[in-house]
């Protein structure tokens, strides 16, 4: 692969794994990558140590092959403010942690929410390319979304316009009994793994659940309910935001077979008949989307394309 051009490092800190990529920001090509488990249980400082180690490793490789990097982009599976500060602790806590000082020894640091970074990349060179208005949804360890307008992820007033599933929805049945639904706690990858693990009496992951669907009727029922509930939320996102297309990413949403099933079910919950055939597609950048996007945002491309 030719390595001419400008380069940046993108690090996608996920709830399960952390991926670091050296990215050519002219076209989003990934030159090299490293992946390690994310030590969420050990706390934010341990996660920061991992990010610094991966950044340093990629920097050394960059210096020996392509030269200095323009920036270091890091994206988190958390709320991130418009000024680039972590603002939640769903997976680990970086609030109040000085992450900029150690990471700035590698390159100027840019922090972003993982879903916005991936949405930017998909709009730039992925499944959202060419759409003036699309919604990107990540269905993975956690669930989140971003509205993209003319290539720019919409952050909201505070940077919090990413979560559509973390708060309870309340309804009442025919007897007047309150029924609460929290999609994050019911159908996220983390929740599905935990729920299936309780069912079989052993630690499990969402991937194990989906793999067991063919042979275990309990798994099949759990998957069916999760997909149907998720589809109802996606339908309401479409009803609310009226995008040209819906792009589904993450370990669950980006899986083609799951994507097709979700797309079919989601159409039932789209109110306007003329919209029920809108494209609902899998992301094309896969696991690299967040790292590519945040690397580009950390580089000069941020000024040229996003601002």
């Amino acid at each position: 692969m030719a390595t001419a051009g400008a380069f940046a490092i993108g690090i996608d800190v996920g709830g399960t794994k952390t991926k670091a990529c050296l990215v050519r920001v002219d076209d989003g090509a990934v030159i090299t990558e490293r992946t390690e488990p994310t030590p969420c249980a050990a706390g934010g400082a341990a996660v920061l140590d991992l990010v610094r180690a991966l950044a340093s490793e990629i920097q050394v490789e960059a210096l020996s092959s392509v030269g200095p990097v323009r920036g270091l982009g890091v994206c988190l599976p958390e709320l991130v403010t418009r000024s680039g500060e972590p603002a939640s602790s769903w997976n680990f806590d970086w609030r109040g942690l000085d992450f900029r000082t150690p990471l700035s020894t590698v390159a100027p640091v840019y922090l972003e929410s993982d879903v916005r970074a991936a949405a930017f990349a998909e709009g730039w060179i992925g499944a959202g390319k060419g759409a003036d208005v699309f919604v990107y949804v990540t269905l993975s360890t956690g669930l989140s979304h971003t509205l993209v307008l003319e290539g720019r992820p919409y952050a909201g007033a505070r940077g919090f316009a990413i979560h559509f599933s973390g708060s309870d929805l309340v309804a009442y049945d025919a007897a007047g009994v309150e029924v609460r639904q929290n999609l994050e706690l019911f159908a996220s990858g983390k929740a599905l793994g935990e729920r299936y693990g309780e069912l079989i009496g052993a630690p499990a992951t969402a991937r194990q659940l989906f793999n067991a669907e063919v042979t275990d009727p309990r798994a099949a029922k759990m998957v069916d309910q999760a997909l149907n509930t998720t589809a109802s939320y996606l339908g309401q996102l479409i009803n609310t935001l009226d995008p040209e297309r819906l792009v589904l990413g993450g370990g669950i949403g980006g899986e083609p077979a799951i994507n097709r099933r979700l797309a079919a079910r989601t159409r039932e919950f789209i109110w306007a008949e003329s919209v029920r055939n809108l494209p609902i597609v899998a992301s094309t950048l896969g696991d690299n989307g967040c790292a590519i996007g945040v690397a580009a945002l950390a580089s000069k491309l941020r000024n040229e394309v996003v601002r």
Side-chain angles (χ1 to χ4, degrees), residues 22 31-32 34 56-67:
L22 176 62
I31 306 304
T32 188
R34 302 282 187 277
S56 298
E57 186 177 343
I58 296 292
Q59 179 194 35
V60 169
E61 185 163 343
L63 288 173
S64 67
S65 59
V66 300

Side-chain angles (χ1 to χ4, degrees), residues 163-189:
H163 46 160
F164 69 100
S165 63
S167 299
D168 290 358
L169 295 182
V170 179
Y172 293 87
D173 65 16
V177 177
E178 181 181 276
V179 179
R180 287 179 175 259
Q181 171 68 42
N182 186 304
L183 186 66
E184 186 85 29
L185 300 179
F186 183 75
S188 67

Side-chain angles (χ1 to χ4, degrees), residues 80-101:
V80 175
T81 68
R82 291 174 63 93
S83 59
E85 295 298 325
S88 68
S89 57
W90 178 255
N91 293 284
F92 53 85
D93 198 352
W94 273 22
R95 296 172 300 174
L97 187 66
D98 179 14
F99 61 90
R100 296 188 187 278
T101 298

Side-chain angles (χ1 to χ4, degrees), residues 11 22 53 74 88 103 150 152 157 161 171 199 222 225 231 258 265 289-290:
I11 300 183
L22 176 62
V74 179
S88 68
L103 296 182
E150 297 182 343
R152 301 182 180 188
L199 193 64
M222 188 176 293
Q225 292 176 341
I258 298 174
R265 295 189 182 207
C290 292

Side-chain angles (χ1 to χ4, degrees), residues 16-90:
T16 303
K17 62 184 179 181
T18 295
K19 170 171 281 195
C21 295
L22 176 62
V23 178
R24 185 169 59 206
V25 297
D26 300 323
D27 59 4
V30 174
I31 306 304
T32 188
E33 62 184 76
R34 302 282 187 277
T35 302
E36 296 287 345
T38 306
C40 291
V47 176
L48 177 57
D49 287 342
L50 172 63
V51 171
R52 182 179 182 182
L54 287 171
S56 298
E57 186 177 343
I58 296 292
Q59 179 194 35
V60 169
E61 185 163 343
L63 288 173
S64 67
S65 59
V66 300
V69 296
R70 283 186 172 184
L72 168 59
V74 179
C75 56
L76 305 182
E78 304 288 350
L79 294 177
V80 175
T81 68
R82 291 174 63 93
S83 59
E85 295 298 325
S88 68
S89 57
W90 178 255

Side-chain angles (χ1 to χ4, degrees), residues 2 48 50 77 103 118 143 174 225 232 252 257-258 271 276 291-292:
L48 177 57
L50 172 63
L103 296 182
L143 310 176
Q225 292 176 341
S232 72
I252 297 174
I258 298 174
W271 191 84
R276 290 176 190 158
I292 292 171

